Amino acid sequence: MTTTDTERRNWTTPGTQDAAQNTYTSVKAALDRSAALRDLRWEVFLQGSYANATNTRGDSDVDVIVMLTSTMYPDISRLPPADRDRELRDRGAGTTSASRFRTLVHQALVDYYGTRRVHPKNKCLRVDKTAGYVDADVVPTLQHRLYTSYPAYGQPTWIEGVAIDPLHGSRIVNYPKEHIKNGRDKNKRCSERYKPTVRQIKNLRKRAVATGLLTDGIAPGYLLECMTYNVPDSYFLTDDSARLSAVLAWLNNQSVATLTSTFTSGDEVHRLFVDDPGHHSAATASQILAALGRTL
């Protein structure tokens, strides 16, 4: 079943933000009430589709980052030798471990919501929804600094990321603030048509799953958003229907080799099919794009 122009226009509409905002406000209140967390420096913010304004109708949970800033992980891999030496000389000992911070965040949530609504997961703490709210994945992280300079005089510069130490598996580093900033910049360059296009493609994914062209779960929203981010700005046409066709046609014209060698993640730090923490496959992405094209 092909899509209609009306469907393509309707697919640009974002899902409601009210329940997500209520959930974020509630989680922040729970953390603010913790006496143990009050002694530390940390910040809380959204990541994912709600933070990026690419959520669609039916998106059912929010990702809430709780980032410890009084202890951080430095990454000096991009620094020249002299800058590395200076950072190593200046580096102090951390005051709070990732596991300890997770324990404090967990206790703060339990104190506020009760044990029945808070469930430990590998990378996060799930808070079950109630009426007017959505499920929340609360992710305790430490600040990650990817240093870009560490001069003898003046202030060092870095790209801020978050480091997740899961219960099982190795550390995961993401750059959600960079992803959000880059998405806003691209949306502005594309006359506010980039984010509506991401929502169109996510809705097209739902149609492809419903008709059996895609397996549910094979095309996560993050992957679709990052692939759309790589489409040249000139393809984001004014007409909703023509734009969706143009963007998908461009994506389907990219070979697996091109996807691998040129596509970045939305943060522009990772290469989407090389070192992104999601471990995405360019070959699978090509099959997803082909299925989306057939769904049009």
Side-chain angles (χ1 to χ4, degrees), residues 4-293:
T4 66
D5 289 346
T6 299
E7 285 175 320
R8 296 185 190 192
R9 285 193 299 271
N10 290 341
W11 284 345
T12 65
T13 305
T16 180
Q17 295 276 356
D18 292 347
Q21 184 59 49
N22 291 343
T23 303
Y24 169 76
T25 301
S26 176
V27 169
K28 189 173 185 305
L31 300 171
D32 285 338
R33 283 183 52 176
S34 168
L37 288 175
R38 211 168 294 146
D39 295 332
L40 303 173
R41 294 196 308 275
W42 51 273
E43 64 176 278
V44 57
F45 55 92
L46 286 173
Q47 73 167 1
S49 62
Y50 284 98
N52 294 309
T54 57
N55 59 300
T56 61
R57 294 170 182 168
D59 284 355
S60 58
D61 57 16
V62 294
D63 294 327
V64 183
I65 295 291
V66 190
M67 181 178 69
L68 182 68
T69 58
S70 49
T71 298
M72 59 86 180
Y73 289 125
D75 182 344
I76 59 176
S77 60
R78 294 190 178 186
L79 294 181
D83 284 15
R84 291 188 189 187
D85 291 342
R86 278 189 288 271
E87 194 282 330
L88 288 169
R89 285 197 300 268
D90 291 347
R91 186 181 299 181
T95 58
T96 308
S97 68
S99 60
R100 175 61 179 162
F101 185 58
R102 176 180 172 128
T103 297
L104 295 176
V105 171
H106 187 185
Q107 189 59 54
L109 297 175
V110 168
D111 290 345
Y112 194 82
Y113 297 109
T115 55
R116 297 182 67 179
R117 288 185 60 195
V118 180
H119 311 285
K121 305 293 183 182
N122 188 40
K123 294 183 290 186
C124 68
L125 302 161
R126 168 60 66 98
V127 178
D128 291 340
K129 65 183 178 182
T130 57
Y133 297 81
V134 294
D135 293 330
D137 285 339
V138 182
V139 189
T141 72
L142 268 62
Q143 183 189 61
H144 178 91
R145 293 183 182 181
L146 176 58
Y147 280 104
T148 53
S149 73
Y150 208 97
Y153 302 98
Q155 296 298 313
T157 59
W158 66 81
I159 301 171
E160 185 181 65
V162 297
I164 306 167
D165 282 357
L167 297 178
H168 308 286
S170 57
R171 181 173 300 152
I172 302 164
V173 176
N174 290 318
Y175 298 87
K177 290 184 179 180
E178 292 297 304
H179 186 114
I180 293 168
K181 173 186 175 296
N182 292 338
R184 287 173 178 165
D185 290 346
K186 185 173 182 70
N187 200 46
K188 185 176 181 180
R189 294 196 309 270
C190 296
S191 302
E192 310 296 322
R193 294 193 285 266
Y194 161 63
K195 293 186 179 185
T197 308
V198 174
R199 292 192 288 267
Q200 285 180 303
I201 289 178
K202 287 183 177 181
N203 278 298
L204 188 64
R205 180 263 319 271
K206 293 178 184 178
R207 174 66 59 82
V209 170
T211 57
L213 288 173
L214 280 179
T215 303
D216 192 18
I218 198 174
Y222 172 82
L223 174 61
L224 298 177
E225 183 170 333
C226 288
M227 289 196 292
T228 307
Y229 180 78
N230 283 270
V231 177
D233 296 350
S234 60
Y235 284 80
F236 291 85
L237 309 175
T238 303
D239 181 78
D240 292 331
S241 183
R243 182 179 63 250
L244 179 60
S245 294
V247 166
L248 268 178
W250 185 89
L251 285 168
N252 269 300
N253 281 332
Q254 310 309 303
S255 67
V256 170
T258 300
L259 293 175
T260 303
S261 63
T262 67
F263 273 42
T264 68
S265 304
D267 56 29
E268 294 194 6
V269 176
H270 292 113
R271 295 167 65 190
L272 184 57
F273 299 108
V274 177
D275 59 1
D276 187 277
H279 304 292
H280 308 289
S281 162
T284 301
S286 184
Q287 295 169 3
I288 291 168
L289 292 169
L292 294 178

